[in-house]
Amino acid sequence: PSATPPRPATLPMPMSKTTAQTTILHQREEDAQQRRRVVTLLRVFLIVLVSVVVALAIVTESANNAGEVSLQRHWWALVGGVLVFSLLVIAVDVVTPKRKLATISAMLFGCIAGLILSLLLGIIIDYLAQTFLPSDLLADEGVKRLLLAIKVIMGGGLCYLGAATVLQTQDDFRLVIPYVEFSKQLRGARPFLMDTSALIDGRILDIAETGLIQVPLVVPRFVIEELQTLSDSSDRLKRNRGRRGLDIVGKLQKNPRLDVSIDEQLVPGASVDQMLVELAKTMPGTVLTTDSALSRIASIHGVASLNIHDLANALKPNVIPGEPLNVMLIKPGEQAGQGVGYLEDGTMVVAENGANMIGKETQLVVTSTMQTSAGRLIFGRIRGEEEDDENEASHAPATDGNGRRARRH
């Protein structure tokens, strides 16, 4: 029987902008709904708990008739106070929906430090009062209330100072107490913050396949939004770049070797570069990009960055002057008589007197190398010409100091 011809392999279609946007919006909506349901359950639990406790507190057994219940005296004061307190708690919850755990932890830590210090100072105040004040004055209720007011005011002031100090210096607080850092949101190794240019470049996929990346990859929400904007552009080149970036994000999420997450934080900044730098400060993280300008901006702000171009240049093999090198010369150089070719990794090779060898594979002898911002340049001479120059130098007649041929004795 004739063999069935193999079905041609279908290439994976790039993720369209509409599909990527729908998936992202659906995931964000599900997370928001789940958080709203949990918060609603907590509010209902608080209302039920407060209602039961208040009901048990204001209801008592009647003193005249056994078995009958009645309300406590001034029960309305208790109900009103609890109601005001509950409304205040719910109002704080509604007005501040963007609370951060790091901020709350810093405030609690500062308040606890203030309370501990106020207790110590309270003991000192009591000791000084018992030492210098007469006993009859200490027994006075007015003096006791005055000392208590001093302690309360002092405790409130110290709690305020402690919370304000920790909030203003929370980024550097780990310098005082090791392993205490309120601003860090991701623990362990610093993650890579993906820039738009790095996603469009696409080489991060090849790097990930080698297993070199052992840290989380974080794609900020504003980077995805910029890729979506590019995908909607009327310019065909920009539209293809945006769709390629979204496709790379989808492939990174499917890679089992990588830990990829979408960061939803709202970061202040007028441009994507500024927001990346601010987000890298907050995490902290390392900006992964191919934009040299962004690398300079990150360096100015003290943020670590990794340029994929620099990584590629560092991995290029080094060549030593005098080594032979085979290259195809494809175009003339800037100087007269030069020929230019490229290695497989994109390194430019300039051949002296190689203009006549354009279109041919030529063996060169490396004379020097140069590292530039665009990459490494290799200079060489054609192998035959190099040997001819050496032979001419060896057979050249010897001359004396005045340029005359030296006599043989």
Side-chain angles (χ1 to χ4, degrees):
S2 59
T4 303
R7 181 176 298 177
T10 58
L11 297 177
M13 296 297 293
M15 181 185 297
S16 63
K17 180 259 178 185
T18 305
T19 304
Q21 185 177 11
T22 303
T23 303
I24 293 170
L25 292 177
H26 183 66
Q27 183 178 1
R28 294 182 65 181
E29 184 65 23
E30 286 185 352
D31 295 341
Q33 290 180 358
Q34 183 178 5
R35 287 193 294 268
R36 286 195 295 265
R37 286 194 294 266
V38 173
V39 172
T40 303
L41 290 176
L42 289 176
R43 291 174 181 173
V44 172
F45 174 77
L46 175 63
I47 294 174
V48 172
L49 178 64
V50 171
S51 301
V52 172
V53 173
V54 171
L56 293 176
I58 66 176
V59 174
T60 183
E61 186 177 358
S62 177
N64 298 326
N65 298 322
E68 295 184 0
V69 294
S70 61
L71 298 179
Q72 295 277 8
R73 294 181 60 185
H74 306 294
W75 61 269
W76 51 269
L78 177 61
V79 174
V82 171
L83 182 61
V84 171
F85 177 76
S86 301
L87 292 177
L88 180 62
V89 171
I90 296 177
V92 171
D93 182 33
V94 174
V95 173
T96 58
K98 300 294 183 180
R99 294 182 300 273
K100 293 184 178 180
L101 183 59
T103 304
I104 298 175
S105 301
M107 292 180 61
L108 291 177
F109 189 87
C111 291
I112 292 174
L115 288 175
I116 294 175
L117 185 58
S118 62
L119 288 176
L120 295 177
L121 292 179
I123 295 175
I124 296 177
I125 291 175
D126 291 337
Y127 178 76
L128 292 176
Q130 293 175 3
T131 303
F132 296 101
L133 295 180
S135 58
D136 56 345
L137 191 60
L138 288 176
D140 188 3
E141 292 295 332
V143 175
K144 292 181 179 180
R145 292 173 63 87
L146 179 62
L147 293 177
L148 180 61
I150 293 175
K151 294 178 184 178
V152 172
I153 295 174
M154 182 182 60
L158 291 177
C159 289
Y160 166 76
L161 288 178
T165 302
V166 175
L167 284 175
Q168 295 173 3
T169 61
Q170 58 181 352
D171 294 342
D172 301 325
F173 203 74
R174 58 191 173 94
L175 300 176
V176 180
I177 303 179
Y179 308 108
V180 175
E181 186 175 4
F182 298 106
S183 62
K184 181 178 288 187
Q185 297 179 5
L186 296 179
R187 303 298 177 184
R190 291 191 174 188
F192 281 146
L193 284 176
M194 302 296 299
D195 181 32
T196 308
S197 60
L199 292 171
I200 295 175
D201 181 82
R203 282 181 290 179
I204 186 66
L205 284 175
D206 299 330
I207 299 175
E209 290 297 331
T210 63
L212 181 63
I213 300 178
Q214 300 293 329
V215 298
L217 295 180
V218 179
V219 184
R221 172 64 55 189
F222 51 82
V223 170
I224 295 181
E225 292 176 354
E226 185 182 26
L227 291 175
Q228 293 175 354
T229 303
L230 291 175
S231 300
D232 290 336
S233 176
S234 57
D235 189 353
R236 181 173 177 272
L237 179 59
K238 292 183 179 180
R239 186 167 60 251
N240 291 336
R241 287 165 59 87
R243 292 179 179 177
R244 173 177 171 81
L246 293 174
D247 185 26
I248 295 299
V249 173
K251 291 181 179 179
L252 289 174
Q253 291 178 328
K254 296 177 181 178
N255 194 324
R257 297 186 179 184
L258 300 178
D259 180 11
V260 183
S261 61
I262 306 297
D263 189 86
E264 304 286 348
Q265 295 188 51
L266 297 178
V267 184
S271 63
V272 175
D273 292 351
Q274 294 179 0
M275 289 189 286
L276 271 173
V277 172
E278 292 297 328
L279 183 58
K281 285 182 179 180
T282 304
M283 284 190 171
T286 301
V287 178
L288 187 64
T289 181
T290 59
D291 188 358
S292 58
L294 177 57
S295 299
R296 297 190 189 99
I297 294 174
S299 177
I300 292 174
H301 289 83
V303 175
S305 64
L306 175 61
N307 195 317
I308 296 181
H309 291 325
D310 296 337
L311 179 61
N313 291 332
L315 295 178
K316 290 180 179 179
N318 293 323
V319 291
I320 302 174
E323 288 186 351
L325 185 66
N326 293 326
V327 64
M328 173 71 74
L329 301 180
I330 59 175
K331 64 178 182 179
E334 296 182 357
Q335 303 296 330
Q338 289 182 343
V340 177
Y342 296 90
L343 299 180
E344 294 181 356
D345 58 4
T347 304
M348 179 184 291
V349 180
V350 179
E352 300 294 337
N353 300 326
N356 297 329
M357 303 299 293
I358 294 177
K360 301 178 182 179
E361 186 173 357
T362 309
Q363 187 176 37
L364 305 178
V365 176
V366 178
T367 58
S368 63
T369 60
M370 179 186 301
Q371 182 68 39
T372 65
S373 58
R376 183 181 290 110
L377 291 178
I378 299 176
F379 296 90
R381 303 189 65 179
I382 299 177
R383 185 58 179 261
E385 294 183 358
E386 184 74 16
E387 294 178 353
D388 293 340
D389 292 342
E390 293 178 356
N391 293 331
E392 290 178 2
S394 62
H395 294 293
T399 58
D400 57 10
N402 296 325
R404 294 173 297 184
R405 183 176 297 177
R407 297 180 180 179
R408 295 182 179 179
H409 297 283

